[in-house]
Amino acid sequence: MNTLILLLANLFILTGFYCSTRFMLTLFGLIVLFMLSILVALIVQYLRELLSKDHRPPVIGSVFTILIHFSHLFDYMTEIAKKHRTFRFVTPARSEVYIVDPINVEHILKSNFPNYTKGDYHKSIMKDLFGNGIFAADGDIWRHQRKLASFEFSTKVLRDFSTVVFRSNTAKLVNKVSESVVHNQNFDLQALLMRSTLDSIFKVGFGFDLDTLSGSDEASNQFMIAFDDSNYILYGRYVDVLWRVKRYLNIGSEAALKKNVKLIDKFVYGLIQLKREQMKKGKLEGDKDDILSRFLIESEKGPGKLTDKYLRDISLSFIVAGKATSANALTWFFYMLCKHTFIQEKIALEVKEATGAEYTYSIDEFSQKLAETALDKMHYLHAALTETLRLYPAVPLDGKCSENDDILPDGFKIKKGDGISYMAYPMGRMAYIWGEDAEDFRPERWLRDGVFQSESPFKFTAFQGGPRICLGKEFAYRQMKIMAAFLVFFFKFKLVDEHKEATYRTMFTLHMDKGLPLYAFPRPKA
């Protein structure tokens, strides 16, 4: 918003050199009138909702309150949620309701699922990047993609193929960290994890070796930067009441978003076209394990349904699911291991015992030992990853829209058109859900006699719940366990600045701000 005000001010000054004083006064009056009309509409709506006796959720503030606290939004929401399990903020057009009580979460995600959709509001914000991809879709489009994705994730072919890819790319990651160890240099683990997971999802999703980990491919590097920046800009639309004006004028963040999306489209459409050409030449027969190839084969059965635009939207959904979520979760995981070194050592010992590997093993030898049976034995690692996701969920807030009037299980009334978001980040910090030690990192809370025990998806919402529960949950755990096992087996990690507390960028996924600078040390060979 500050950028827009500055640009408008400069435009106003420049216009003054070429226009009459009367015209400039009229223009200035129109701008002031426009801004005042927005402010008056907000004040009227705010007072109306504040004075309502209709048993609506308590009003905490307006959309401008969220804007003020945007940089630390999820922690701000946590503090409110400790006082109010259900609350709302007011905009000129509607109320934005936020919930943390598991009974309410189950209501919107399962019990009354048809009433709570992504809605036109959320889709309008997300569409420029995600189009009609599964994260932004409703109705028949969502059901069609869900059906396709459900079939693909259930196949043994994809499971085996993805495991091979995860091992191969993580081996490259270990070599990359080893270079820093040899040169006694610190490194940004988050950046390396982002590149490694992007390489993996492109291999599994598209069948192409992107190799961003080497940093040699400029096009893929630009794609990754554009994708992350677009994610950040889109989330900012929730508090930027003038984003549509900025998009129309093609200025500020909206101009940057347009440029990013153009770059992203060129990159993804190029891959889709290359795949189509390979299919026409019959080159997919021996190499069709990736998701895009399987979707293209499916498109031949129903021509016209899976257009390049449709495949583009599906593909970007897989990228955000497979890259950003896993990499962000692993970043917070290693941050917590550095804060709790005894847990880091306990996981390293479990990996060693589960694989039967020795520290003298090479990367290839360890990879062979890291079989599915070994991964299944790593209950403490699984618990530590889950505990990380409890406190640092990949998607900290998830918004829906109410299609009709409703009453939540706690008795509060929801109006048609209200936004309603369940808050995974604050939920992980609620004492009434997890106990008085809710804000402590304690993997043991997930273990019973040493065996991992899951919780209700409406209490632990990192993978959502109900009909829209994440299909790639086991896929994500497999990737995270392989990467974590490799790294803790070969290295000990230490924060460059042990006194600095990590913070996040406020966006759709919980991205650590300014990266994760670490030192790595090889584990002793004896």
Side-chain angles (χ1 to χ4, degrees), residues 82 336 340 342-343 387-388 390-392 425-448 455 459:
K82 289 177 180 178
M336 296 310 290
H340 304 82
F342 65 96
I343 294 179
E387 181 71 346
T388 301
R390 181 182 72 84
L391 289 170
Y392 302 100
Y425 184 95
M427 285 180 72
R429 290 160 170 75
M430 294 297 105
Y432 77 89
I433 298 177
W434 298 101
E436 292 303 316
D437 64 349
E439 300 192 51
D440 296 338
F441 183 74
R442 194 171 66 83
E444 288 77 11
R445 76 175 74 244
W446 297 93
L447 300 172
R448 300 291 183 276
E455 287 280 3
K459 175 181 177 181

Side-chain angles (χ1 to χ4, degrees), residues 257-270:
L257 177 64
K258 185 177 180 180
K259 182 179 178 181
N260 286 340
V261 171
K262 186 177 180 179
L263 188 152
I264 291 166
D265 285 351
K266 180 181 178 181
F267 192 82
V268 176
Y269 280 129

Side-chain angles (χ1 to χ4, degrees), residues 370-503:
L370 197 61
E372 202 75 30
T373 51
L375 289 171
D376 289 342
K377 294 177 183 177
M378 299 178 192
H379 291 277
Y380 194 79
L381 172 57
H382 197 99
L385 286 166
T386 306
E387 181 71 346
T388 301
L389 286 166
R390 181 182 72 84
L391 289 170
Y392 302 100
V395 181
L397 301 180
D398 189 32
K400 312 290 183 185
C401 183
S402 179
E403 296 295 322
N404 297 288
D405 291 350
D406 191 24
I407 299 178
L408 296 176
D410 62 7
F412 285 118
K413 292 184 179 180
I414 302 297
K415 290 184 178 180
K416 179 180 179 179
D418 277 352
I420 184 164
S421 299
Y422 68 93
M423 306 188 293
Y425 184 95
M427 285 180 72
R429 290 160 170 75
M430 294 297 105
Y432 77 89
I433 298 177
W434 298 101
E436 292 303 316
D437 64 349
E439 300 192 51
D440 296 338
F441 183 74
R442 194 171 66 83
E444 288 77 11
R445 76 175 74 244
W446 297 93
L447 300 172
R448 300 291 183 276
D449 297 323
V451 178
F452 178 82
Q453 300 293 319
S454 60
E455 287 280 3
S456 162
F458 310 111
K459 175 181 177 181
F460 173 65
T461 57
F463 294 96
Q464 208 168 156
R468 291 189 85 127
I469 193 169
C470 178
L471 289 169
K473 178 180 176 181
E474 297 308 317
F475 182 93
Y477 267 119
R478 191 182 312 115
Q479 181 181 26
M480 290 190 295
K481 288 176 78 171
I482 288 172
M483 296 182 77
F486 258 103
L487 290 170
V488 298
F489 180 79
F490 285 102
F491 308 105
K492 294 181 179 181
F493 295 95
K494 180 182 177 182
L495 293 168
V496 171
D497 184 351
E498 295 184 320
H499 301 292
K500 186 176 180 180
E501 295 296 320
T503 56

Side-chain angles (χ1 to χ4, degrees), residues 241-254:
V241 295
L242 298 177
W243 71 264
R244 287 183 175 83
V245 176
K246 290 161 69 175
R247 183 174 65 174
Y248 179 78
L249 296 174
N250 194 32
I251 59 175
S253 58
E254 290 298 316

Side-chain angles (χ1 to χ4, degrees), residues 36-287:
L36 284 175
S37 64
I38 293 177
L39 185 60
V40 169
L42 180 60
I43 292 173
V44 170
Q45 181 71 358
Y46 181 81
L47 290 175
R48 180 187 294 130
E49 295 297 331
L50 192 64
L51 297 174
S52 172
K53 302 296 184 181
D54 204 20
H55 199 56
R56 298 273 278 148
V59 175
I60 302 301
S62 72
V63 65
F64 292 115
T65 310
I66 299 178
L67 178 60
I68 292 168
H69 297 280
F70 190 72
S71 64
H72 57 280
L73 181 64
F74 310 130
D75 289 297
Y76 173 64
M77 293 295 198
T78 299
E79 292 308 306
I80 299 172
K82 289 177 180 178
K83 303 173 185 176
H84 307 283
R85 299 185 185 186
T86 304
F87 57 90
R88 63 189 168 123
F89 292 89
V90 176
T91 75
R94 67 188 204 156
S95 288
E96 291 291 338
V97 180
Y98 294 88
I99 60 175
V100 292
D101 196 323
I103 61 169
N104 285 337
V105 175
E106 183 172 7
H107 180 78
I108 71 166
L109 294 185
K110 181 183 177 182
S111 305
N112 200 12
F113 171 76
N115 187 57
Y116 295 98
T117 65
K118 294 308 290 187
D120 292 338
Y121 174 69
H122 292 294
K123 285 187 280 190
S124 69
I125 285 176
M126 301 171 71
K127 191 170 184 177
D128 286 333
L129 179 61
F130 296 110
N132 286 316
I134 195 167
F135 292 125
D138 283 321
D140 291 339
I141 294 176
W142 171 76
R143 279 186 286 272
H144 179 247
Q145 291 185 41
R146 181 82 179 182
K147 182 179 179 181
L148 286 176
S150 179
F151 174 75
E152 295 305 331
F153 276 113
S154 66
T155 61
K156 186 177 185 298
V157 172
L158 181 62
R159 185 167 62 250
D160 293 344
F161 176 57
S162 64
T163 299
V164 171
V165 172
F166 295 155
R167 286 177 184 156
S168 174
N169 281 328
T170 306
K172 295 178 183 178
L173 175 61
V174 171
N175 282 322
K176 198 71 176 176
V177 174
S178 295
E179 292 176 14
S180 298
V181 172
V182 169
H183 295 95
N184 195 28
Q185 296 175 333
N186 66 65
F187 58 94
D188 181 1
L189 182 60
Q190 177 172 248
L192 294 182
L193 289 169
M194 285 289 179
R195 293 177 183 275
S196 183
T197 54
L198 184 62
D199 288 346
S200 291
I201 196 60
F202 260 82
K203 183 64 176 178
V204 174
F206 296 93
F208 293 107
D209 290 311
L210 205 58
D211 198 21
T212 63
L213 198 57
S214 69
S216 59
D217 188 339
E218 184 61 28
S220 59
N221 288 334
Q222 289 179 354
F223 169 83
M224 183 171 64
I225 294 170
F227 190 81
D228 288 341
D229 284 349
S230 298
N231 185 325
Y232 179 73
I233 293 169
L234 283 185
Y235 205 78
R237 284 178 168 181
Y238 282 105
V239 293
D240 187 351
V241 295
L242 298 177
W243 71 264
R244 287 183 175 83
V245 176
K246 290 161 69 175
R247 183 174 65 174
Y248 179 78
L249 296 174
N250 194 32
I251 59 175
S253 58
E254 290 298 316
L257 177 64
K258 185 177 180 180
K259 182 179 178 181
N260 286 340
V261 171
K262 186 177 180 179
L263 188 152
I264 291 166
D265 285 351
K266 180 181 178 181
F267 192 82
V268 176
Y269 280 129
L271 294 179
I272 294 171
Q273 184 59 36
L274 183 56
K275 273 292 177 183
R276 285 200 184 277
E277 290 173 1
Q278 289 178 347
M279 174 175 277
K280 289 178 182 178
K281 295 175 182 178
K283 292 185 178 180
L284 289 183
E285 289 305 313
D287 185 21

